[in-house]
Each structure stands twice: as C-alpha cells, then as structure tokens.
Amino acid sequence: MRSVGRMTTFVFIPGAGGDAWYWHRVAAELTARGHEAISVDLPAEDDKAGLPEYADAVDAAVGERAEPVLVALSLGGFTAAAVAARRPVAGIVFVNAMIPLPGETASAWGEVTGSAEARRELALRQGRDPDADVDLRADFFQDVPEDLIAYALSHDRDESERIFGDPCVFEAWPAVPIRVLTGRDDRMFPAVFQQRVARERLGVEAELLPGGHLVPLSHPVEVADLVERSGTASTAPDCATD
C-alpha cells in the first residue's frame, strides 16, 4: 500500500455506457490508500438524458464535498468539463479521454481531432485491417483479464444518442492541475494522437502508462499511482480553448 499525502476525494466518471464498474479496481486501490473514491453511474440508457443530466449525476454523487479531483475515462471527458464549469474542483485527470473545446459536441470531436484517421494509421502500422469495424474485444479489451471481459460484455449498457449532440458548455478550463494519462497501446485513441490533442487543447504533455483503452481494468495500480499524485501536480492548462 502506498500513499503520497493527505486524503483526497477522487470522483471517477465512466465513458460510453456510463457504468461506474469500469473504475472499480482503481477506486478500490485508492480507497485502500486512505482516499475517498466516488464512482458515478451515468444515465446512459435514458434517451432524454444528455450532458446536463450527466453533470447532475456527478453533482449528486459528490454532494457537499469540497473540491474533488475529477477523473474521466474516454467519453467521460465531456462530462468532466461540464462538471468543472459548475463547481470548484481541485484537479482534472483525463484517462484515454476525449478533451472537448468550449461548445463542442462529442459527435463533432472525432472529425475535428482526426481520431478515425489516427486509428487507421495505427492499424496499418500494426499490420491490422485499417478498414475493419470496431471490435470490442480487439479494440477496447485487448489487455483486460478474461473474467472482467466476460462480466463487462454480459452487463453492457446502451448509450443514448443525445449525449453525442449536446454541446459541452464551459468558457475555459479552471486554473487547477489538469493531467492527461494515455495508454501506450490504446487502439481507439492512439497514444501519439492523444499526446497531440493534449498539447493543442491543454498545453500539457500526456503521460504514458502501460495498457490499452480500458487501463482502469487492465492496469489499475499504475493508474492509481498516477491519479494519486494528481493532487500535488502543478501543471495547469495553458488554455487552448479556441
């Protein structure tokens, strides 16, 4: 068990499907180190729920706790930005996450950032079919233990379409430490792509760690180590918000 200092409240925001379970291994690791870990279920299957309702769910889970650190996976990056616009936070950690610009939608994000072309280029370099359809096992779960894959696929949730069309309403990133953690083997958002987006949009260098897109399941200790240090990080965004 390792700890780097005082107790911190970490709020874990899932990606598509909205299932807090994807953070359970990292949350358990940080709880064992004396921190408070809040994993939030999002109303992903509710067709009427969009980004404001996702932010409502995080607000409700956090309650009166002061200045938590938000930790967002994949699509959860949009929710983290929306929450940080509403309430004070001590920091934000993006984990293989979509980093929005003010007013951007998740559906536009891929085209604007070039994520599809980045995936295609990575597949070509690795000798995989660049035109193959996305495969959950190959592209999301390639390094996740088999028992966790079985559970995840048997409890898979649909994601409503509204979340992809809601603009992410915020004016600028808060002046708090913001970190970007990137799986070296991520096939959905390749590491080089994530590093570029982090520089362009936040002015920060993405930190590499082992694992694919679902590093909270495949490498929870490594993720916890980096997340735990977020409270002491001094890097704030240079604010590439336009």
Side-chain angles (χ1 to χ4, degrees):
M1 183 187 303
R2 295 179 294 277
S3 182
V4 297
R6 63 183 178 81
M7 188 274 283
T8 301
T9 297
F10 295 102
V11 178
F12 294 100
I13 302 171
D19 194 338
W21 174 85
Y22 280 84
W23 282 111
H24 78 280
R25 301 188 79 190
V26 177
E29 182 71 26
L30 289 171
T31 299
R33 300 180 191 188
H35 300 289
E36 182 177 28
I38 302 170
S39 299
V40 184
D41 265 319
L42 300 177
E45 293 178 300
D46 183 352
D47 291 338
K48 296 180 180 179
L51 199 49
E53 288 74 23
Y54 283 32
D56 287 345
V58 176
D59 270 339
V62 175
E64 298 301 316
R65 297 171 181 85
E67 298 189 359
V69 174
L70 305 179
V71 188
L73 176 66
S74 196
L75 177 61
F78 273 72
T79 301
V83 172
R86 293 182 172 196
R87 63 185 300 150
V89 298
I92 304 171
V93 184
F94 293 107
V95 182
N96 290 335
M98 299 166 71
I99 301 170
L101 293 176
E104 190 170 47
T105 66
S107 62
W109 181 89
E111 181 176 354
V112 171
T113 59
S115 64
E117 184 57 29
R119 282 197 300 275
R120 193 174 192 281
E121 291 174 358
L122 178 64
L124 283 169
R125 290 199 303 272
Q126 294 181 339
R128 296 182 287 112
D129 181 359
D131 300 313
D133 293 335
V134 172
D135 180 276
L136 287 178
R137 280 183 172 269
D139 297 324
F140 285 86
F141 292 96
Q142 78 262 31
D143 60 345
V144 174
E146 185 59 38
D147 60 327
L148 297 180
I149 296 175
Y151 180 89
L153 295 182
S154 66
H155 292 77
D156 191 37
R157 296 181 180 182
D158 292 330
E159 178 68 61
S160 74
E161 290 297 320
R162 181 183 159 185
I163 190 65
F164 296 100
D166 277 355
C168 193
V169 179
F170 69 108
E171 294 183 1
W173 296 105
V176 298
I178 297 183
R179 302 176 71 186
V180 178
L181 309 185
T182 299
R184 289 192 186 96
D185 301 315
D186 193 337
R187 293 178 178 175
M188 282 304 298
F189 302 150
V192 172
F193 163 78
Q194 289 195 55
Q195 289 172 316
R196 172 177 61 79
V197 172
R199 291 187 198 108
E200 292 176 351
R201 298 195 162 197
L202 296 173
V204 304
E205 288 297 319
E207 302 166 69
L208 294 176
L209 72 164
H213 192 65
L214 296 176
V215 285
L217 292 178
S218 61
H219 291 81
V221 174
E222 292 91 336
V223 174
D225 286 345
L226 290 173
V227 166
E228 186 179 32
R229 291 200 289 270
S230 300
T232 60
S234 60
T235 303
D238 287 342
C239 271
T241 56
D242 52 20

